[in-house]
Amino acid sequence: MRTRRLRVLGLVMILMLLLAACGGGGEEAEEGGATSEPAGAASEADGAETTVGADAEGVQALRDAGTVRIGVKYDQPLFGVNTPSGVEGFDAEIAKLMVEGIFRDGDPESHIEFTEAVSANREPFLQNDEVDMVIATYTMNEERDQVVDFAGPYYETGQQLMVPEGNPEGIQAPEDLNTSDLRSCSVEGSTSLQNFQELAPDADIITFDTYTKCAEAMNDGRVDATTTDGAILFGLVDEFGGFEVVGEEFSDEPYGIGIPDGATDLRLYLNERICQIQENGEWDQAYENTVGVVAETPAPPPIDPAFGDPVFPEGSECPQASGAGATSSEAGSEATSEMTSEPAAGASEAAS
């Protein structure tokens, strides 16, 4: 009998200890202010621990790899052409400037691995981790933004038409080609093809994987016109001769740097870097050395908050003051302070 009472008493004490432990834990949680949210989510929500700038996680990963894999056109005169001495053109120059900002050792070309990208494989290259960036006359649009992210734009142009010199058919607009009597050419997977087909649904159009092949088809009389962005067409005119660009621009084509979907800190850094080269004059120099040989140097486009994504770290615009390794809150406060006092150093250099 005594043994049974002791067993019951023991069970009661164990039960009381268990209840006390559960109750004590709840009090500690309330006193400590803990919530049911994961710690990482809370940190991400307030943004205080998010690192931006050249030491952001996505940028550091590229630096650790030692090489940035960049998709670029190999047959896009003035923008990306593969030559015995390397890839040349405005897109190639933008790539070097971006990589120079990442490695900061004065030797960007040693850190770049160029891969040929045609219009149709730019999104798959990013989705399949075959490249880290695509800088290839890559128009930013909402459809593409569903599967990749964009930094930029770093350049803006508009779609036009290229015809044989002298314009024997009198072509001036897409509607003039909306007939089976004339043949047009564009490139598979391009926004140029989509735009043209919307404006000229009855046009007789053939497609290739590159615009160079369209130019070759014009040379031997297989097509009467080629359509794509004016900047690309001026490059074909410069390379082939015997053609001219006609009519007004009939679309807006902002060129951005394509990166994998969700690479937010890399996108914020690239936007900072684009802004920086625009303000310190490196953008102008890159343009004048490439596209500028046949076209007047335009004002660079503003970084666009398209598709609802933040462009720069919170609280800043073109944050020259953010620097490497700053947190988002630090970047914002420093940039705001600088913008309200003295112009950024880069802006002063550009003005002089």
Side-chain angles (χ1 to χ4, degrees), residues 302-325:
I303 310 302
D304 190 354
F307 319 125
D309 295 325
V311 172
F312 296 125
E314 183 180 356
S316 63
E317 292 182 3
C318 186
Q320 297 297 297
S322 66

Side-chain angles (χ1 to χ4, degrees), residues 104-122:
R104 294 172 284 174
D105 63 2
D107 188 18
E109 294 185 61
S110 68
H111 300 293
I112 297 177
E113 178 183 306
F114 281 123
T115 297
E116 182 179 17
V118 297
S119 294
N121 66 19
R122 291 174 293 193

Side-chain angles (χ1 to χ4, degrees), residues 237-248:
V237 171
D238 181 61
E239 178 173 319
F240 284 84
F243 303 141
E244 63 179 292
V245 179
V246 297
E248 300 293 328

Side-chain angles (χ1 to χ4, degrees), residues 90 153-157 253-255 274 277-279 283-285 287-288 295-303:
F90 186 57
Y154 62 88
Y155 180 69
E156 283 186 335
T157 183
E253 307 296 336
Y255 289 172
I274 292 169
I277 66 170
Q278 289 177 343
E279 294 205 346
W283 187 98
D284 292 79
Q285 192 64 55
Y287 192 91
E288 289 165 7
E296 188 174 340
T297 303
I303 310 302

Side-chain angles (χ1 to χ4, degrees), residues 257-288:
I257 299 175
I259 56 175
D261 188 36
T264 301
D265 59 355
L266 178 59
R267 181 175 57 77
L268 293 173
Y269 171 70
L270 292 175
N271 280 340
E272 286 186 294
R273 180 64 179 154
I274 292 169
C275 186
Q276 185 179 57
I277 66 170
Q278 289 177 343
E279 294 205 346
N280 67 15
E282 289 178 292
W283 187 98
D284 292 79
Q285 192 64 55
Y287 192 91
E288 289 165 7

